[in-house]
Amino acid sequence: MKSFLKWSMALSLILAVAAAIGGVLLWQEISGHPEVSISINGEDIPVHALSAAHWGSLLFAAGITLFVLAVVLPLTLLLGVALPLMIVAGVIALVLAVVAGVGALVGSPLILLVLLLWWLMRRKPPAAAAPYKPQAPGATTAPH
């Protein structure tokens, strides 16, 4: 997962740089042709006639658009899709936990009986003890 994140970030950075370079090149091309104009509601505005107010409002609109795409859209998807799915999954998990608890409570005598029988069936008989051989006082045993 870490390598996927690294690749995604690298590709995103490359695309952002390519978009910035493309924007600069496009601006250079438009600036080189004085006859280019922007048409808004049927009114033609030459690119060279745009004032600082026009550019300010354009940058403000671009900022609002970036804010909506970067913040509002992910939050909307998160709260509108993921949160209801998480709530439904939580309710289903709670219902399953309650059903398992009730099943364990109702079946506990049977479970205890089965565990007792299993324990008795698996229990090994004690191994026969070696006969006791008394040693003479002061005698030592040889190592095996």
Side-chain angles (χ1 to χ4, degrees):
M1 187 66 182
K2 291 180 182 179
S3 63
F4 175 73
L5 184 62
K6 288 178 185 177
W7 278 101
S8 297
M9 293 299 285
L11 287 175
S12 298
L13 184 62
I14 290 170
L15 285 175
V17 169
I21 291 172
V24 168
L25 293 175
L26 185 63
W27 176 250
Q28 292 297 322
E29 183 63 29
I30 289 174
S31 297
H33 300 287
E35 68 275 359
V36 175
S37 64
I38 298 173
S39 178
I40 300 175
N41 291 333
E43 181 182 341
D44 286 335
I45 303 172
V47 174
H48 295 291
L50 293 177
S51 66
H54 291 114
W55 290 112
S57 62
L58 180 67
L59 289 176
F60 182 69
I64 289 175
T65 304
L66 287 175
F67 176 76
V68 167
L69 289 176
V71 176
V72 175
L73 181 65
L75 282 177
T76 302
L77 290 175
L78 183 68
L79 297 176
V81 176
L83 185 62
L85 287 176
M86 288 179 11
I87 291 172
V88 168
V91 168
I92 290 173
L94 182 64
V95 167
L96 287 176
V98 167
V99 168
V102 168
L105 186 64
V106 169
S108 63
L110 182 61
I111 293 170
L112 286 175
L113 182 63
V114 169
L115 284 176
L116 181 63
L117 285 174
W118 177 75
W119 180 68
L120 288 174
M121 297 296 278
R122 282 194 47 111
R123 192 168 173 197
K124 296 179 182 178
Y132 175 72
K133 294 181 183 178
Q135 292 183 352
T140 59
T141 59
H144 299 291

